Coordinates of all heavy atoms in Angstrom, one line a residue:
M1436 N 0.9 -1.2 0.0 CA 0.0 0.0 0.0 C 0.9 1.2 0.0 O 1.8 1.3 0.7 CB -0.9 -0.1 1.2 CG -1.9 1.0 1.3 SD -2.9 0.6 2.7 CE -4.3 1.7 2.3
S1437 N 0.5 2.2 -0.8 CA 1.3 3.4 -0.9 C 1.1 4.3 0.3 O 0.2 4.2 1.1 CB 1.0 4.2 -2.2 OG -0.3 4.8 -2.1
F1438 N 2.0 5.3 0.5 CA 2.0 6.2 1.6 C 0.6 7.0 1.7 O 0.1 7.2 2.7 CB 3.1 7.2 1.5 CG 3.2 8.2 2.7 CD1 3.6 7.7 3.9 CD2 2.9 9.5 2.5 CE1 3.6 8.6 5.0 CE2 2.9 10.4 3.5 CZ 3.3 9.9 4.8
F1439 N 0.2 7.4 0.5 CA -1.1 8.2 0.5 C -2.3 7.4 0.4 O -3.4 7.9 0.1 CB -1.0 9.2 -0.7 CG 0.1 10.2 -0.5 CD1 1.2 10.2 -1.3 CD2 0.0 11.2 0.5 CE1 2.2 11.1 -1.1 CE2 1.0 12.1 0.7 CZ 2.1 12.1 -0.1
G1440 N -2.2 6.1 0.6 CA -3.4 5.2 0.6 C -3.7 4.9 -0.9 O -3.1 5.3 -1.8
G1441 N -4.7 4.1 -1.0 CA -5.2 3.7 -2.3 C -4.4 2.6 -3.0 O -4.5 1.5 -2.5
G1442 N -3.7 3.0 -4.1 CA -3.1 2.0 -5.0 C -2.0 1.1 -4.4 O -1.5 1.4 -3.3
Q1443 N -1.8 0.0 -5.1 CA -0.7 -0.9 -4.7 C 0.6 -0.5 -5.3 O 0.6 0.1 -6.4 CB -1.1 -2.3 -5.1 CG -2.3 -2.9 -4.5 CD -2.6 -4.3 -5.0 OE1 -2.1 -4.7 -6.1 NE2 -3.4 -5.0 -4.3
Q1444 N 1.7 -0.8 -4.7 CA 2.9 -0.5 -5.3 C 3.2 -1.4 -6.4 O 2.9 -2.7 -6.3 CB 4.1 -0.5 -4.2 CG 4.0 0.6 -3.2 CD 5.3 0.5 -2.3 OE1 5.9 -0.5 -2.2 NE2 5.5 1.7 -1.7
Q1445 N 3.9 -1.0 -7.4 CA 4.3 -1.8 -8.4 C 5.6 -2.6 -8.1 O 6.4 -2.1 -7.3 CB 4.6 -0.9 -9.7 CG 3.4 -0.1 -10.1 CD 3.1 -0.4 -11.6 OE1 3.8 -1.0 -12.2 NE2 1.9 0.0 -11.9
P1446 N 5.7 -3.8 -8.4 CA 6.9 -4.6 -8.1 C 8.1 -3.9 -8.8 O 8.0 -3.5 -9.9 CB 6.7 -6.0 -8.6 CG 5.5 -5.9 -9.6 CD 4.8 -4.6 -9.2
Q1447 N 9.2 -3.8 -8.0 CA 10.3 -3.1 -8.5 C 11.3 -4.2 -9.1 O 11.5 -5.2 -8.5 CB 11.0 -2.3 -7.4 CG 10.2 -1.1 -6.9 CD 11.0 -0.4 -5.9 OE1 12.1 -0.7 -5.5 NE2 10.3 0.7 -5.5
G1448 N 11.8 -3.8 -10.3 CA 12.8 -4.7 -10.9 C 14.2 -4.2 -10.5 O 14.4 -3.4 -9.6
P1449 N 15.2 -4.7 -11.3 CA 16.6 -4.2 -10.9 C 16.7 -2.8 -11.3 O 16.1 -2.2 -12.2 CB 17.4 -5.1 -11.9 CG 16.5 -5.9 -12.8 CD 15.1 -5.7 -12.3
D1450 N 17.5 -2.1 -10.5 CA 17.7 -0.7 -10.6 C 18.7 -0.4 -11.8 O 19.8 -0.9 -11.8 CB 18.4 -0.1 -9.3 CG 18.6 1.4 -9.4 OD1 18.1 2.1 -10.2 OD2 19.4 1.9 -8.5
P1451 N 18.2 0.3 -12.8 CA 19.1 0.5 -14.0 C 20.4 1.3 -13.7 O 21.4 1.0 -14.3 CB 18.2 1.1 -15.0 CG 17.0 1.6 -14.3 CD 16.9 0.8 -13.0
M1452 N 20.2 2.2 -12.8 CA 21.5 3.0 -12.4 C 22.5 2.1 -11.7 O 23.7 2.2 -12.0 CB 21.1 4.2 -11.6 CG 20.5 5.4 -12.3 SD 21.6 6.0 -13.6 CE 22.8 6.8 -12.6
F1453 N 22.0 1.3 -10.8 CA 23.0 0.4 -10.1 C 23.6 -0.5 -11.1 O 24.8 -0.8 -11.1 CB 22.2 -0.4 -9.0 CG 23.1 -1.4 -8.3 CD1 24.1 -1.0 -7.4 CD2 23.0 -2.7 -8.6 CE1 24.8 -1.9 -6.8 CE2 23.8 -3.7 -8.0 CZ 24.7 -3.3 -7.1
A1454 N 22.8 -1.1 -12.1 CA 23.3 -2.1 -13.1 C 24.4 -1.3 -13.9 O 25.4 -1.9 -14.2 CB 22.2 -2.6 -13.9
A1455 N 24.1 -0.1 -14.4 CA 25.0 0.6 -15.2 C 26.3 1.0 -14.5 O 27.4 0.9 -15.0 CB 24.4 2.0 -15.7
Q1456 N 26.2 1.3 -13.2 CA 27.3 1.7 -12.4 C 28.2 0.5 -12.1 O 29.4 0.5 -12.3 CB 27.0 2.3 -11.1 CG 28.1 2.7 -10.2 CD 27.7 3.3 -8.9 OE1 26.5 3.3 -8.5 NE2 28.6 3.8 -8.1
T1457 N 27.5 -0.7 -11.9 CA 28.3 -2.0 -11.7 C 29.0 -2.3 -12.9 O 30.2 -2.8 -12.9 CB 27.3 -3.0 -11.2 OG1 26.6 -2.6 -10.0 CG2 28.1 -4.3 -11.0
E1458 N 28.4 -2.2 -14.1 CA 28.9 -2.6 -15.3 C 30.1 -1.7 -15.6 O 31.2 -2.1 -16.1 CB 27.9 -2.5 -16.5 CG 28.4 -3.0 -17.8 CD 27.4 -2.9 -18.9 OE1 26.3 -2.4 -18.7 OE2 27.6 -3.5 -20.0
M1459 N 30.0 -0.4 -15.4 CA 31.1 0.5 -15.6 C 32.3 0.2 -14.7 O 33.5 0.2 -15.2 CB 30.6 2.0 -15.4 CG 31.6 3.0 -15.8 SD 31.8 2.9 -17.6 CE 32.8 4.3 -17.8
E1460 N 32.1 -0.1 -13.5 CA 33.2 -0.5 -12.5 C 33.8 -1.8 -13.0 O 35.0 -1.9 -13.0 CB 32.6 -0.7 -11.1 CG 32.2 0.6 -10.4 CD 31.5 0.4 -9.1 OE1 31.3 -0.8 -8.7 OE2 31.2 1.3 -8.5
M1461 N 33.0 -2.8 -13.6 CA 33.6 -4.0 -14.1 C 34.5 -3.7 -15.3 O 35.6 -4.2 -15.3 CB 32.5 -4.9 -14.5 CG 32.9 -6.2 -15.0 SD 31.6 -7.2 -15.8 CE 31.3 -6.3 -17.3
Y1462 N 34.1 -2.9 -16.2 CA 34.9 -2.6 -17.4 C 36.1 -1.8 -17.0 O 37.2 -2.0 -17.6 CB 34.1 -1.8 -18.4 CG 33.2 -2.7 -19.2 CD1 31.8 -2.5 -19.2 CD2 33.7 -3.7 -20.0 CE1 31.0 -3.4 -20.0 CE2 32.9 -4.6 -20.8 CZ 31.6 -4.4 -20.7 OH 30.7 -5.2 -21.5
T1463 N 36.0 -0.9 -16.0 CA 37.2 -0.1 -15.5 C 38.2 -1.1 -15.0 O 39.4 -1.0 -15.2 CB 36.7 0.9 -14.5 OG1 35.8 1.8 -15.2 CG2 37.9 1.7 -14.1
D1464 N 37.7 -2.0 -14.1 CA 38.6 -3.0 -13.4 C 39.3 -3.9 -14.5 O 40.5 -4.1 -14.5 CB 37.8 -3.9 -12.5 CG 38.6 -4.8 -11.7 OD1 39.7 -4.4 -11.1 OD2 38.3 -6.0 -11.7
M1465 N 38.5 -4.3 -15.5 CA 39.1 -5.1 -16.6 C 40.2 -4.4 -17.4 O 41.2 -4.9 -17.7 CB 38.0 -5.7 -17.5 CG 38.5 -6.6 -18.6 SD 37.3 -7.5 -19.5 CE 36.5 -6.2 -20.4
F1466 N 39.9 -3.1 -17.7 CA 40.8 -2.3 -18.4 C 42.1 -2.1 -17.6 O 43.2 -2.2 -18.2 CB 40.2 -0.9 -18.7 CG 41.2 0.0 -19.4 CD1 41.5 -0.1 -20.7 CD2 41.8 1.0 -18.7 CE1 42.4 0.8 -21.4 CE2 42.8 1.8 -19.2 CZ 43.0 1.7 -20.6
N1467 N 41.9 -1.9 -16.3 CA 43.1 -1.7 -15.4 C 44.0 -3.0 -15.4 O 45.2 -2.9 -15.4 CB 42.8 -1.2 -14.1 CG 42.3 0.2 -14.1 OD1 42.6 1.0 -14.9 ND2 41.4 0.5 -13.1
K1468 N 43.3 -4.1 -15.3 CA 44.0 -5.4 -15.2 C 44.7 -5.7 -16.6 O 45.9 -6.1 -16.6 CB 43.1 -6.5 -14.9 CG 42.6 -6.5 -13.5 CD 41.7 -7.7 -13.2 CE 41.2 -7.7 -11.8 NZ 40.3 -8.8 -11.4
I1469 N 44.1 -5.4 -17.7 CA 44.7 -5.6 -19.0 C 45.9 -4.7 -19.2 O 46.9 -5.1 -19.6 CB 43.6 -5.4 -20.1 CG1 42.7 -6.5 -20.2 CG2 44.4 -5.2 -21.5 CD1 41.5 -6.2 -21.2
S1470 N 45.7 -3.4 -18.8 CA 46.8 -2.5 -18.9 C 48.1 -2.9 -18.1 O 49.2 -2.9 -18.6 CB 46.4 -1.1 -18.4 OG 45.3 -0.6 -19.2
T1471 N 47.8 -3.3 -16.8 CA 48.9 -3.6 -16.0 C 49.6 -4.9 -16.4 O 50.8 -4.9 -16.6 CB 48.4 -3.9 -14.5 OG1 47.7 -2.7 -14.1 CG2 49.5 -4.2 -13.6
T1472 N 48.8 -5.9 -16.8 CA 49.3 -7.2 -17.2 C 50.1 -7.1 -18.5 O 51.2 -7.6 -18.6 CB 48.2 -8.2 -17.3 OG1 47.5 -8.4 -16.1 CG2 48.8 -9.6 -17.7
C1473 N 49.5 -6.5 -19.4 CA 50.1 -6.5 -20.8 C 51.3 -5.4 -20.8 O 52.3 -5.7 -21.5 CB 49.1 -6.1 -21.9 SG 47.8 -7.4 -22.1
F1474 N 51.2 -4.4 -20.0 CA 52.4 -3.5 -20.0 C 53.6 -4.2 -19.4 O 54.7 -4.0 -19.9 CB 52.0 -2.2 -19.2 CG 53.1 -1.2 -19.2 CD1 53.3 -0.4 -20.3 CD2 54.0 -1.1 -18.1 CE1 54.4 0.6 -20.3 CE2 55.0 -0.2 -18.1 CZ 55.2 0.7 -19.2
K1475 N 53.3 -4.9 -18.2 CA 54.5 -5.6 -17.6 C 55.1 -6.7 -18.5 O 56.3 -6.9 -18.6 CB 54.0 -6.3 -16.3 CG 53.8 -5.4 -15.1 CD 53.4 -6.2 -13.9 CE 53.1 -5.3 -12.8 NZ 52.5 -6.0 -11.6
K1476 N 54.2 -7.3 -19.3 CA 54.7 -8.4 -20.2 C 55.4 -7.8 -21.5 O 56.3 -8.4 -21.9 CB 53.5 -9.2 -20.6 CG 53.8 -10.4 -21.5 CD 52.7 -11.2 -21.8 CE 53.0 -12.3 -22.8 NZ 51.8 -13.1 -23.2
C1477 N 54.8 -6.8 -22.0 CA 55.3 -6.3 -23.3 C 56.2 -5.1 -23.4 O 56.9 -5.0 -24.3 CB 54.1 -6.1 -24.2 SG 53.0 -7.6 -24.4
A1478 N 56.0 -4.2 -22.6 CA 56.6 -2.9 -22.7 C 58.0 -2.9 -22.1 O 58.2 -3.4 -21.0 CB 55.8 -1.8 -22.1
S1479 N 58.9 -2.3 -22.8 CA 60.3 -2.1 -22.3 C 60.3 -1.0 -21.2 O 59.6 -0.1 -21.3 CB 61.3 -1.8 -23.4 OG 62.5 -1.4 -22.9
T1480 N 61.2 -1.2 -20.2 CA 61.3 -0.2 -19.2 C 62.1 1.0 -19.6 O 62.2 2.0 -19.0 CB 61.9 -0.9 -17.9 OG1 63.2 -1.4 -18.3 CG2 60.9 -1.9 -17.4
R1481 N 62.8 0.8 -20.8 CA 63.7 1.9 -21.3 C 63.1 2.5 -22.6 O 63.3 2.0 -23.7 CB 65.1 1.4 -21.6 CG 65.9 1.0 -20.4 CD 67.1 0.3 -20.7 NE 66.9 -1.1 -21.0 CZ 67.4 -1.8 -22.1 NH1 68.2 -1.2 -22.8 NH2 67.1 -3.0 -22.2
H1482 N 62.2 3.5 -22.4 CA 61.6 4.1 -23.6 C 62.4 5.3 -24.0 O 62.6 6.3 -23.2 CB 60.2 4.6 -23.3 CG 59.2 3.4 -23.2 ND1 58.8 2.7 -24.2 CD2 58.7 2.9 -22.1 CE1 57.9 1.8 -23.8 NE2 57.9 1.8 -22.5
K1483 N 62.8 5.4 -25.3 CA 63.5 6.5 -25.8 C 62.6 7.3 -26.8 O 62.8 8.5 -27.0 CB 64.7 6.0 -26.6 CG 65.8 5.4 -25.7 CD 66.9 4.8 -26.4 CE 67.8 4.1 -25.5 NZ 68.8 3.2 -26.2
D1484 N 61.6 6.6 -27.3 CA 60.7 7.3 -28.3 C 59.3 7.5 -27.6 O 59.0 6.9 -26.6 CB 60.5 6.4 -29.5 CG 61.7 6.2 -30.2 OD1 62.6 7.1 -30.2 OD2 61.9 5.1 -30.8
A1485 N 58.6 8.4 -28.2 CA 57.2 8.7 -27.7 C 56.2 7.6 -28.0 O 55.2 7.4 -27.3 CB 56.7 10.0 -28.2
E1486 N 56.5 6.7 -29.0 CA 55.7 5.6 -29.5 C 56.3 4.3 -29.2 O 57.5 4.2 -29.1 CB 55.4 5.8 -31.0 CG 54.7 7.1 -31.3 CD 54.3 7.2 -32.8 OE1 54.5 6.2 -33.5 OE2 54.0 8.3 -33.2
L1487 N 55.4 3.3 -29.1 CA 55.9 1.9 -28.9 C 56.5 1.4 -30.2 O 55.9 1.7 -31.3 CB 54.7 1.0 -28.5 CG 54.2 1.2 -27.1 CD1 52.9 0.3 -26.9 CD2 55.2 1.0 -26.0
P1488 N 57.6 0.6 -30.0 CA 58.1 -0.1 -31.2 C 57.1 -1.1 -31.7 O 56.2 -1.6 -31.0 CB 59.4 -0.8 -30.7 CG 59.7 -0.1 -29.5 CD 58.4 0.5 -28.9
L1489 N 57.2 -1.6 -33.0 CA 56.4 -2.5 -33.6 C 56.2 -3.8 -32.8 O 55.1 -4.3 -32.6 CB 56.8 -2.8 -35.1 CG 55.9 -3.7 -35.8 CD1 54.5 -3.1 -36.0 CD2 56.5 -4.0 -37.2
G1490 N 57.3 -4.3 -32.3 CA 57.3 -5.6 -31.5 C 56.5 -5.4 -30.3 O 55.7 -6.3 -30.0
E1491 N 56.6 -4.3 -29.6 CA 55.8 -4.1 -28.3 C 54.3 -3.9 -28.7 O 53.5 -4.4 -27.9 CB 56.4 -2.9 -27.6 CG 57.7 -3.1 -26.9 CD 58.3 -1.9 -26.2 OE1 57.5 -0.9 -26.1 OE2 59.4 -2.0 -25.7
M1492 N 54.0 -3.2 -29.7 CA 52.7 -3.0 -30.2 C 52.0 -4.4 -30.5 O 50.9 -4.7 -30.1 CB 52.5 -2.1 -31.4 CG 52.5 -0.7 -31.1 SD 52.1 0.4 -32.4 CE 53.6 0.5 -33.3
S1493 N 52.7 -5.2 -31.2 CA 52.2 -6.5 -31.6 C 51.9 -7.3 -30.3 O 50.9 -8.1 -30.2 CB 53.1 -7.3 -32.5 OG 53.3 -6.6 -33.7
C1494 N 52.9 -7.4 -29.4 CA 52.8 -8.1 -28.2 C 51.6 -7.6 -27.3 O 50.8 -8.4 -26.9 CB 54.1 -7.9 -27.3 SG 54.0 -8.8 -25.7
T1495 N 51.4 -6.3 -27.3 CA 50.3 -5.7 -26.6 C 48.9 -6.1 -27.2 O 48.0 -6.5 -26.5 CB 50.4 -4.2 -26.5 OG1 51.6 -3.8 -26.0 CG2 49.3 -3.6 -25.7
D1496 N 48.9 -6.1 -28.5 CA 47.7 -6.5 -29.2 C 47.3 -7.9 -29.0 O 46.2 -8.3 -28.6 CB 47.8 -6.3 -30.7 CG 47.8 -4.8 -31.1 OD1 47.2 -4.0 -30.3 OD2 48.2 -4.5 -32.3
R1497 N 48.3 -8.8 -29.0 CA 48.1 -10.3 -28.7 C 47.7 -10.5 -27.3 O 46.8 -11.3 -27.0 CB 49.4 -11.1 -29.1 CG 49.5 -11.3 -30.5 CD 50.7 -12.3 -30.8 NE 51.9 -12.1 -30.1 CZ 52.9 -11.3 -30.5 NH1 52.8 -10.8 -31.7 NH2 54.0 -11.2 -29.8
C1498 N 48.4 -9.8 -26.4 CA 48.1 -9.9 -25.0 C 46.6 -9.5 -24.6 O 45.9 -10.2 -24.0 CB 49.0 -9.1 -24.1 SG 48.8 -9.2 -22.4
T1499 N 46.2 -8.4 -25.3 CA 44.9 -7.9 -25.0 C 43.8 -8.8 -25.6 O 42.8 -9.2 -25.0 CB 44.7 -6.5 -25.6 OG1 45.7 -5.6 -25.1 CG2 43.3 -5.9 -25.4
A1500 N 44.1 -9.3 -26.8 CA 43.2 -10.3 -27.4 C 43.0 -11.6 -26.6 O 41.9 -12.1 -26.4 CB 43.6 -10.6 -28.9
K1501 N 44.2 -12.1 -26.1 CA 44.1 -13.3 -25.3 C 43.3 -13.1 -24.0 O 42.6 -13.9 -23.6 CB 45.5 -13.8 -25.0 CG 46.2 -14.4 -26.2 CD 47.6 -14.9 -25.8 CE 48.4 -15.4 -27.0 NZ 49.7 -15.8 -26.7
Y1502 N 43.6 -11.9 -23.4 CA 42.9 -11.6 -22.1 C 41.4 -11.6 -22.4 O 40.6 -12.1 -21.5 CB 43.4 -10.2 -21.6 CG 43.0 -10.1 -20.2 CD1 43.9 -10.4 -19.1 CD2 41.8 -9.5 -19.8 CE1 43.7 -10.2 -17.7 CE2 41.5 -9.3 -18.4 CZ 42.4 -9.6 -17.5 OH 42.1 -9.4 -16.1
L1503 N 41.0 -10.8 -23.4 CA 39.5 -10.7 -23.7 C 38.9 -12.0 -24.1 O 37.8 -12.3 -23.7 CB 39.3 -9.7 -24.8 CG 39.6 -8.2 -24.4 CD1 39.6 -7.3 -25.6 CD2 38.8 -7.7 -23.2
E1504 N 39.6 -12.9 -24.8 CA 39.1 -14.2 -25.2 C 39.0 -15.1 -23.9 O 38.0 -15.7 -23.8 CB 40.1 -14.9 -26.1 CG 39.6 -16.2 -26.6 CD 40.6 -16.9 -27.5 OE1 41.5 -16.3 -28.1 OE2 40.4 -18.1 -27.7
A1505 N 39.9 -15.0 -23.0 CA 39.8 -15.7 -21.7 C 38.6 -15.3 -20.9 O 37.8 -16.0 -20.4 CB 41.1 -15.6 -20.9
Q1506 N 38.4 -13.9 -20.9 CA 37.3 -13.4 -20.1 C 35.9 -13.8 -20.7 O 35.0 -14.2 -20.0 CB 37.3 -11.8 -20.1 CG 38.3 -11.3 -19.3 CD 38.1 -11.5 -17.8 OE1 37.0 -11.8 -17.4 NE2 39.1 -11.4 -17.0
E1507 N 35.9 -13.9 -22.0 CA 34.7 -14.4 -22.8 C 34.4 -15.9 -22.4 O 33.2 -16.2 -22.2 CB 34.8 -14.2 -24.2 CG 33.6 -14.5 -25.0 CD 33.7 -14.3 -26.5 OE1 34.8 -13.7 -26.9 OE2 32.8 -14.8 -27.2
R1508 N 35.4 -16.7 -22.5 CA 35.3 -18.1 -22.1 C 34.8 -18.3 -20.7 O 33.9 -19.1 -20.4 CB 36.6 -18.9 -22.4 CG 36.9 -19.1 -23.8 CD 38.2 -19.9 -24.0 NE 38.5 -20.1 -25.4 CZ 39.5 -20.8 -25.8 NH1 40.3 -21.3 -24.9 NH2 39.7 -20.9 -27.1
V1509 N 35.4 -17.6 -19.8 CA 35.0 -17.7 -18.4 C 33.5 -17.2 -18.2 O 32.8 -17.9 -17.5 CB 35.9 -16.9 -17.5 CG1 35.3 -16.8 -16.1 CG2 37.3 -17.5 -17.4
G1510 N 33.2 -16.2 -18.9 CA 31.8 -15.7 -18.8 C 30.8 -16.7 -19.3 O 29.7 -16.9 -18.7
K1511 N 31.1 -17.4 -20.4 CA 30.2 -18.4 -21.0 C 30.1 -19.6 -20.0 O 29.0 -20.1 -19.8 CB 30.7 -19.0 -22.3 CG 30.5 -18.0 -23.4 CD 31.1 -18.5 -24.7 CE 30.9 -17.5 -25.9 NZ 31.4 -18.0 -27.2
V1512 N 31.2 -20.0 -19.3 CA 31.1 -21.1 -18.4 C 30.2 -20.7 -17.2 O 29.5 -21.5 -16.7 CB 32.5 -21.5 -17.9 CG1 32.5 -22.4 -16.7 CG2 33.3 -22.1 -19.1
L1513 N 30.5 -19.5 -16.7 CA 29.7 -19.0 -15.6 C 28.2 -18.9 -15.9 O 27.3 -19.2 -15.1 CB 30.2 -17.7 -15.0 CG 31.5 -17.7 -14.3 CD1 32.0 -16.3 -14.0 CD2 31.5 -18.6 -13.1
Q1514 N 27.9 -18.4 -17.2 CA 26.5 -18.3 -17.6 C 25.9 -19.7 -17.6 O 24.7 -19.9 -17.2 CB 26.4 -17.6 -18.9 CG 25.0 -17.4 -19.4 CD 24.9 -16.8 -20.8 OE1 26.0 -16.5 -21.4 NE2 23.8 -16.5 -21.2
T1515 N 26.6 -20.7 -18.2 CA 26.0 -22.0 -18.2 C 25.8 -22.6 -16.8 O 24.7 -23.2 -16.5 CB 27.0 -22.9 -19.0 OG1 27.2 -22.4 -20.3 CG2 26.5 -24.4 -19.1
A1516 N 26.7 -22.4 -15.9 CA 26.6 -22.8 -14.6 C 25.4 -22.1 -13.8 O 24.6 -22.8 -13.2 CB 27.9 -22.6 -13.8
N1517 N 25.2 -20.8 -14.1 CA 24.1 -20.1 -13.5 C 22.7 -20.6 -14.0 O 21.8 -20.7 -13.3 CB 24.2 -18.6 -13.7 CG 25.3 -18.0 -12.8 OD1 25.7 -18.5 -11.8 ND2 25.8 -16.8 -13.3
E1518 N 22.7 -20.9 -15.3 CA 21.5 -21.4 -15.9 C 21.1 -22.8 -15.3 O 20.0 -23.1 -15.1 CB 21.6 -21.5 -17.4 CG 21.6 -20.1 -18.1 CD 21.9 -20.1 -19.5 OE1 22.3 -21.2 -20.1 OE2 21.9 -19.1 -20.2
A1519 N 22.1 -23.6 -15.2 CA 21.9 -24.9 -14.6 C 21.4 -24.8 -13.1 O 20.5 -25.6 -12.7 CB 23.2 -25.8 -14.7
Q1520 N 22.0 -23.9 -12.4 CA 21.6 -23.7 -11.0 C 20.2 -23.2 -10.9 O 19.4 -23.6 -10.1 CB 22.6 -22.7 -10.3 CG 22.3 -22.6 -8.8 CD 23.2 -21.6 -8.2 OE1 24.0 -20.8 -8.8 NE2 23.2 -21.6 -6.8
A1521 N 19.8 -22.3 -11.8 CA 18.4 -21.7 -11.8 C 17.5 -22.8 -12.2 O 16.4 -23.0 -11.6 CB 18.3 -20.6 -12.9
A1522 N 17.8 -23.7 -13.2 CA 16.9 -24.8 -13.5 C 16.8 -25.8 -12.3 O 15.7 -26.3 -12.1 CB 17.5 -25.6 -14.7
Q1523 N 17.9 -26.0 -11.6 CA 17.8 -26.9 -10.5 C 16.9 -26.3 -9.3 O 16.1 -27.0 -8.7 CB 19.2 -27.2 -9.9 CG 19.3 -28.2 -8.8 CD 20.7 -28.4 -8.4 OE1 21.6 -27.6 -8.6 NE2 21.0 -29.5 -7.7
Q1524 N 17.1 -25.0 -9.1 CA 16.2 -24.4 -8.1 C 14.8 -24.4 -8.5 O 13.9 -24.6 -7.6 CB 16.7 -22.9 -7.9 CG 18.0 -22.8 -7.1 CD 18.4 -21.4 -7.0 OE1 18.0 -20.5 -7.7 NE2 19.3 -21.1 -6.1
K1525 N 14.5 -24.2 -9.8 CA 13.1 -24.3 -10.3 C 12.5 -25.6 -10.1 O 11.4 -25.8 -9.6 CB 13.0 -23.9 -11.7 CG 11.6 -23.8 -12.3 CD 11.6 -23.3 -13.7 CE 10.1 -23.3 -14.2 NZ 10.1 -22.9 -15.6
A1526 N 13.3 -26.7 -10.4 CA 12.8 -28.0 -10.2 C 12.6 -28.4 -8.8 O 11.6 -29.0 -8.4 CB 13.8 -29.0 -10.8
M1527 N 13.4 -27.9 -7.9 CA 13.3 -28.1 -6.5 C 12.0 -27.4 -5.9 O 11.3 -28.0 -5.2 CB 14.5 -27.5 -5.8 CG 14.7 -28.0 -4.4 SD 15.1 -29.7 -4.4 CE 16.2 -29.7 -3.0
Q1528 N 11.8 -26.2 -6.4 CA 10.5 -25.5 -5.9 C 9.3 -26.2 -6.4 O 8.3 -26.3 -5.7 CB 10.6 -24.0 -6.5 CG 11.5 -23.1 -5.8 CD 11.6 -21.8 -6.4 OE1 11.2 -21.5 -7.5 NE2 12.2 -20.8 -5.7
E1529 N 9.3 -26.7 -7.7 CA 8.2 -27.4 -8.2 C 7.9 -28.7 -7.4 O 6.8 -29.0 -7.1 CB 8.4 -27.7 -9.7 CG 8.3 -26.5 -10.6 CD 8.7 -26.8 -12.0 OE1 9.1 -27.9 -12.3 OE2 8.6 -25.9 -12.9
M1530 N 9.0 -29.4 -7.1 CA 8.9 -30.6 -6.3 C 8.3 -30.3 -4.9 O 7.5 -31.0 -4.4 CB 10.2 -31.3 -6.1 CG 10.1 -32.6 -5.5 SD 11.7 -33.6 -5.5 CE 12.8 -32.5 -4.7
Q1531 N 8.8 -29.2 -4.3 CA 8.3 -28.8 -2.9 C 6.8 -28.4 -3.0 O 6.1 -28.8 -2.2 CB 9.1 -27.7 -2.4 CG 10.5 -28.1 -2.0 CD 11.4 -26.9 -1.5 OE1 11.0 -25.7 -1.8 NE2 12.5 -27.2 -0.9
T1532 N 6.5 -27.7 -4.1 CA 5.1 -27.3 -4.3 C 4.2 -28.5 -4.5 O 3.1 -28.6 -3.8 CB 4.9 -26.4 -5.5 OG1 5.8 -25.3 -5.3 CG2 3.5 -25.9 -5.7
S1533 N 4.6 -29.5 -5.3 CA 3.8 -30.6 -5.5 C 3.7 -31.5 -4.2 O 2.7 -32.1 -4.0 CB 4.3 -31.5 -6.7 OG 5.6 -32.0 -6.4
M1534 N 4.8 -31.6 -3.5 CA 4.8 -32.4 -2.3 C 3.9 -31.7 -1.3 O 3.2 -32.4 -0.5 CB 6.1 -32.6 -1.7 CG 7.0 -33.5 -2.6 SD 8.6 -33.8 -1.9 CE 8.1 -34.9 -0.5
G1535 N 3.9 -30.4 -1.2 CA 3.0 -29.7 -0.3 C 1.6 -29.8 -0.6 O 0.7 -30.0 0.3
Q1536 N 1.3 -29.9 -1.9 CA -0.1 -30.1 -2.3 C -0.6 -31.5 -2.0 O -1.7 -31.8 -1.6 CB -0.3 -29.8 -3.8 CG -0.2 -28.4 -4.1 CD -0.2 -28.1 -5.6 OE1 -0.2 -29.0 -6.4 NE2 -0.3 -26.9 -6.0
T1537 N 0.3 -32.5 -2.1 CA 0.0 -33.8 -1.8 C -0.3 -34.0 -0.3 O -1.2 -34.7 0.1 CB 1.2 -34.8 -2.2 OG1 1.4 -34.6 -3.6 CG2 0.9 -36.2 -1.9
F1538 N 0.6 -33.4 0.6 CA 0.4 -33.6 2.0 C -0.8 -32.8 2.5 O -1.5 -33.2 3.4 CB 1.6 -33.1 2.8 CG 2.8 -34.1 2.6 CD1 4.0 -33.6 2.2 CD2 2.7 -35.4 2.8 CE1 5.2 -34.5 2.1 CE2 3.7 -36.3 2.6 CZ 5.0 -35.8 2.3
N1539 N -1.1 -31.7 1.9 CA -2.2 -30.8 2.3 C -3.5 -31.5 1.8 O -4.6 -31.2 2.4 CB -2.1 -29.4 1.8 CG -1.0 -28.6 2.5 OD1 -0.6 -29.0 3.7 ND2 -0.4 -27.7 1.9
G1540 N -3.5 -32.2 0.7 CA -4.7 -32.8 0.2 C -5.2 -33.9 1.0 O -6.4 -34.3 0.9
K1541 N -4.4 -34.6 1.8 CA -4.8 -35.8 2.5 C -5.5 -35.5 3.8 O -5.4 -34.6 4.5 CB -3.6 -36.7 2.8 CG -3.1 -37.4 1.6 CD -2.0 -38.4 2.0 CE -1.7 -39.2 0.7 NZ -0.7 -40.2 1.0

C-alpha cells in the first residue's frame, strides 16, 4: 500500500542506475588489469621514443586479445553454470510445491 493510501505499489525490478554503475566498474577494473598485465609483459622499461616499437605493439595487441578471449570463455562457463543452477532451483521449488499439495490434500 502506498503512503497516500489507495493503490498498490508496483513490483520493482533491478535498478538500471545500479546495473550501469556496476557494469562501468567492471569494465574499468578489466581495463586496469589488462593495462597492468600487458604493460608488464610487453613494454620495455627503457623508452626513448614517444611511441611503442612495432614488436611491443604486436605483443600488446596479442596480450589484449588473449585476455579478452579468456574473459569471454569464463563468462560463458559461468553463464552455463548459473542457468543450470536456476533450472535446479526451479525443479526443487516445483517438487516442494507438488509435495506440499500432496500432503495438504490428505
